[in-house]
Amino acid sequence: MKKLFIKTYGCQMNVYDSDRMVDALAPSGYEATSDIDEADLVLLNTCHIREKAAEKVYSELGRLRIMREKKEKLGGKVMIGIAGCVAQAEGEEIVRRAPVVDLVFGPQSYHRLPELLEQAHTKKVVETDFPAEDKFEHLPKPKRETTIARGLTSFLTVQEGCDKFCSFCVVPYTRGAEVSRPIAQIIAEAENLVDAGVREITLLGQNVNAYHGLDANGDSAGLAHLLYKLADIKGLDRLRYTTSHPRDMDDALIKAHGELDMLMPYLHLPVQSGSDKILKSMNRQHTVEHYMALLDRIRSSRPDIALSGDFIVGFPGETEADFEGTMQLVRDVEYAQAYSFKYSTRPGTPGATMDNQVPEEVKSERLQRLQTLLNHQQTEFNKSRIGTTMKVLFEKTGRDPGQIVGRSPYLQPVQVDADPSHIGTIRDVFIDSVGKFSLFGKIVINN
Ligand code: SAM
Ligand code: SF4
């Protein structure tokens, strides 16, 4: 077997895509390795969402050049490929800037990897088209053992691309227009996962709640419909989905949160800013009032739901008063967890050419204030679990001997001292303390 090393940057969809690349190359005799030194092929599956993410790739390529030279001196050989959104956005520029790269391919081409790799033995290959064929149709099914080795929880991409064109974001350019997979194709993939022991599936999409795949009658169906269908799969215990846009939380989806016990009470619903002026300039197509009213409706459907979000500070034109709007929104919502970023100018997006860009030091200072508040809320949320009993899906052994680790319904890591035979089961756990990121407790023995 030849060895394939993949380094994955960015979002969960890239994690999913990297596994698909491994599946696509398996019939060509490749198997994944976690040791880069033994690799015959190194792929970097890249992210272009912020500037630093792309720069990291170029510095990694500097290290790979040295590795390749050393290997060649010893008579060895290693091929190097760049996948993902930097590949899509930069294309030929990557080969020009880093001649060590043999192969560049965008997120819509990884089903063609064996053929592209073959070509790359004789010439540089750059493939950044959006082919008309459905890449998911063309991907080989992973072997059952491969899926088993990947663990008890899995991502499953149901929707890709985005038509929203927020003025800060590259996704509509790198991932293309919104495309949803048909329901039957998703159910078949989910059934394979469950057959190999997966108990929890997280549905993925850049804009997952805009999902509108075809059902058995050829009609367009929304995410709620898909969730109800998946909930019927025997052996599947938990469902999640990410990332959602506030504009696409329809009534059926909100109702599903109240009706489907296996849909975990945790929702990632980014708002980005708490200022209507900034939201408008970001082209988010919603206001603060709309977002808050939406949360009220979601909370009435599922009162124990915990919220997570994304925030951008220092978008062009953001004043101290606009930023205070964001701080106030966070105080009002009380997030269980959140991601926050300094605005990063992305060439080709409308935000990049807006005047009134915010100075770097102002962005840093605001980000620090926001993160202090969000971290405090996360700690308070975790502490509020002390003295409660939660269902935990145990996934693996912990770092310390005798420890096993799982996730709560709210995605919190939970560590207990217990026999590894509990791995793969969902147990009631009484939470007795919290650390910086994890909760600790004891399995409750139900008689
Ligand atoms: N579709 C999701 C939504 O609309 O909320 C977000 C997907 S995006 C891949 C993930 C997050 O990256 C965004 O929610 C945003 O907070 C952040 N992000 C995107 N572009 C950015 C930029 N130019 N600068 C800083 N953060 C950015
Ligand atoms: Fe980017 Fe999300 Fe806006 Fe689409 S909805 S453009 S993925 S931030």
Side-chain angles (χ1 to χ4, degrees), residues 162-166 168-172 206-207 245 272 284:
C162 183
D163 297 340
K164 292 274 188 300
F165 289 92
C166 297
F168 51 82
C169 186
V170 289
V171 167
Q206 267 88 27
N207 214 338
H245 191 288
Q272 313 297 355
R284 286 293 289 180

CSV table of all heavy atoms in Angstrom, one decimal, residues 162-166 168-172 206-207 245 272 284, ligand 2:
chain,number,residue,atom,x,y,z
A,162,CYS,N,-23.0,28.5,-1.2
A,162,CYS,CA,-23.9,29.5,-0.5
A,162,CYS,C,-24.3,30.6,-1.5
A,162,CYS,O,-23.4,31.0,-2.3
A,162,CYS,CB,-23.1,30.1,0.6
A,162,CYS,SG,-24.1,31.3,1.5
A,163,ASP,N,-25.5,31.0,-1.4
A,163,ASP,CA,-26.0,32.1,-2.3
A,163,ASP,C,-26.3,33.4,-1.6
A,163,ASP,O,-26.9,34.3,-2.1
A,163,ASP,CB,-27.4,31.7,-3.0
A,163,ASP,CG,-27.3,30.5,-3.9
A,163,ASP,OD1,-26.1,30.2,-4.3
A,163,ASP,OD2,-28.3,29.8,-4.1
A,164,LYS,N,-25.8,33.5,-0.3
A,164,LYS,CA,-26.1,34.6,0.5
A,164,LYS,C,-25.2,35.9,0.2
A,164,LYS,O,-25.6,37.0,0.4
A,164,LYS,CB,-26.0,34.3,2.0
A,164,LYS,CG,-27.1,33.3,2.5
A,164,LYS,CD,-28.3,34.0,2.9
A,164,LYS,CE,-29.3,33.1,3.5
A,164,LYS,NZ,-29.8,31.9,2.7
A,165,PHE,N,-24.0,35.6,-0.1
A,165,PHE,CA,-23.1,36.7,-0.4
A,165,PHE,C,-23.0,37.8,0.7
A,165,PHE,O,-23.1,39.0,0.4
A,165,PHE,CB,-23.4,37.4,-1.8
A,165,PHE,CG,-23.1,36.5,-2.9
A,165,PHE,CD1,-24.1,35.7,-3.5
A,165,PHE,CD2,-21.8,36.5,-3.5
A,165,PHE,CE1,-23.8,34.8,-4.5
A,165,PHE,CE2,-21.5,35.6,-4.6
A,165,PHE,CZ,-22.5,34.8,-5.1
A,166,CYS,N,-22.7,37.3,1.9
A,166,CYS,CA,-22.4,38.3,3.0
A,166,CYS,C,-21.1,39.0,2.5
A,166,CYS,O,-20.2,38.4,1.9
A,166,CYS,CB,-22.1,37.6,4.3
A,166,CYS,SG,-23.5,36.6,4.9
A,168,PHE,N,-18.5,40.1,3.7
A,168,PHE,CA,-17.1,39.7,4.2
A,168,PHE,C,-16.6,38.4,3.7
A,168,PHE,O,-15.5,38.0,3.9
A,168,PHE,CB,-17.1,39.8,5.7
A,168,PHE,CG,-18.2,38.9,6.3
A,168,PHE,CD1,-18.0,37.5,6.5
A,168,PHE,CD2,-19.4,39.5,6.8
A,168,PHE,CE1,-19.0,36.7,7.0
A,168,PHE,CE2,-20.4,38.7,7.3
A,168,PHE,CZ,-20.2,37.3,7.4
A,169,CYS,N,-17.5,37.6,3.1
A,169,CYS,CA,-17.2,36.1,3.0
A,169,CYS,C,-16.8,35.6,1.6
A,169,CYS,O,-17.4,36.0,0.6
A,169,CYS,CB,-18.5,35.4,3.5
A,169,CYS,SG,-18.3,33.6,3.6
A,170,VAL,N,-15.8,34.7,1.6
A,170,VAL,CA,-15.4,34.1,0.3
A,170,VAL,C,-16.1,32.8,-0.1
A,170,VAL,O,-16.0,32.4,-1.2
A,170,VAL,CB,-13.9,33.7,0.4
A,170,VAL,CG1,-13.0,34.9,0.4
A,170,VAL,CG2,-13.6,32.8,1.6
A,171,VAL,N,-16.9,32.3,0.9
A,171,VAL,CA,-17.5,31.0,0.6
A,171,VAL,C,-18.3,30.9,-0.7
A,171,VAL,O,-18.1,30.0,-1.5
A,171,VAL,CB,-18.4,30.5,1.8
A,171,VAL,CG1,-19.3,29.4,1.4
A,171,VAL,CG2,-17.5,30.2,3.0
A,172,PRO,N,-19.1,31.9,-1.1
A,172,PRO,CA,-19.9,31.8,-2.3
A,172,PRO,C,-18.9,31.7,-3.6
A,172,PRO,O,-19.3,31.2,-4.6
A,172,PRO,CB,-20.7,33.1,-2.4
A,172,PRO,CG,-20.9,33.5,-1.0
A,172,PRO,CD,-19.6,33.1,-0.3
A,206,GLN,N,-22.5,24.7,4.4
A,206,GLN,CA,-22.0,26.1,4.7
A,206,GLN,C,-23.3,26.9,5.2
A,206,GLN,O,-23.2,27.9,5.9
A,206,GLN,CB,-21.5,26.8,3.4
A,206,GLN,CG,-20.0,26.7,3.3
A,206,GLN,CD,-19.6,25.4,2.6
A,206,GLN,OE1,-20.4,24.9,1.8
A,206,GLN,NE2,-18.4,24.9,2.9
A,207,ASN,N,-24.4,26.5,4.7
A,207,ASN,CA,-25.7,27.1,5.0
A,207,ASN,C,-26.7,26.0,5.1
A,207,ASN,O,-27.6,25.9,4.4
A,207,ASN,CB,-26.0,28.0,3.8
A,207,ASN,CG,-26.7,29.3,4.3
A,207,ASN,OD1,-27.3,29.3,5.3
A,207,ASN,ND2,-26.7,30.2,3.4
A,245,HIS,N,-28.0,29.7,9.0
A,245,HIS,CA,-28.2,31.2,8.8
A,245,HIS,C,-29.6,31.6,9.4
A,245,HIS,O,-30.6,30.8,9.2
A,245,HIS,CB,-28.2,31.5,7.3
A,245,HIS,CG,-28.1,33.0,7.1
A,245,HIS,ND1,-29.1,33.8,7.3
A,245,HIS,CD2,-27.0,33.7,6.7
A,245,HIS,CE1,-28.8,35.1,7.0
A,245,HIS,NE2,-27.5,35.0,6.6
A,272,GLN,N,-23.1,37.3,13.9
A,272,GLN,CA,-21.9,38.2,13.4
A,272,GLN,C,-21.8,39.5,14.1
A,272,GLN,O,-20.7,39.9,14.4
A,272,GLN,CB,-22.0,38.4,11.9
A,272,GLN,CG,-22.2,37.1,11.0
A,272,GLN,CD,-21.2,36.0,11.1
A,272,GLN,OE1,-20.1,36.2,11.8
A,272,GLN,NE2,-21.4,34.9,10.5
A,284,ARG,N,-26.3,40.8,5.7
A,284,ARG,CA,-26.8,39.6,6.4
A,284,ARG,C,-28.3,39.4,6.2
A,284,ARG,O,-28.8,38.3,6.6
A,284,ARG,CB,-26.5,39.7,7.9
A,284,ARG,CG,-25.0,39.5,8.3
A,284,ARG,CD,-24.6,38.1,8.0
A,284,ARG,NE,-25.1,37.2,9.0
A,284,ARG,CZ,-24.8,35.9,9.0
A,284,ARG,NH1,-24.0,35.4,8.0
A,284,ARG,NH2,-25.4,35.1,9.9
B,2,SF4,FE1,-20.5,33.1,4.1
B,2,SF4,FE2,-22.3,32.2,5.7
B,2,SF4,FE3,-22.7,34.5,4.6
B,2,SF4,FE4,-22.8,32.3,3.1
B,2,SF4,S1,-24.2,32.9,4.8
B,2,SF4,S2,-21.8,34.2,2.6
B,2,SF4,S3,-21.2,31.1,4.1
B,2,SF4,S4,-21.1,33.9,6.1
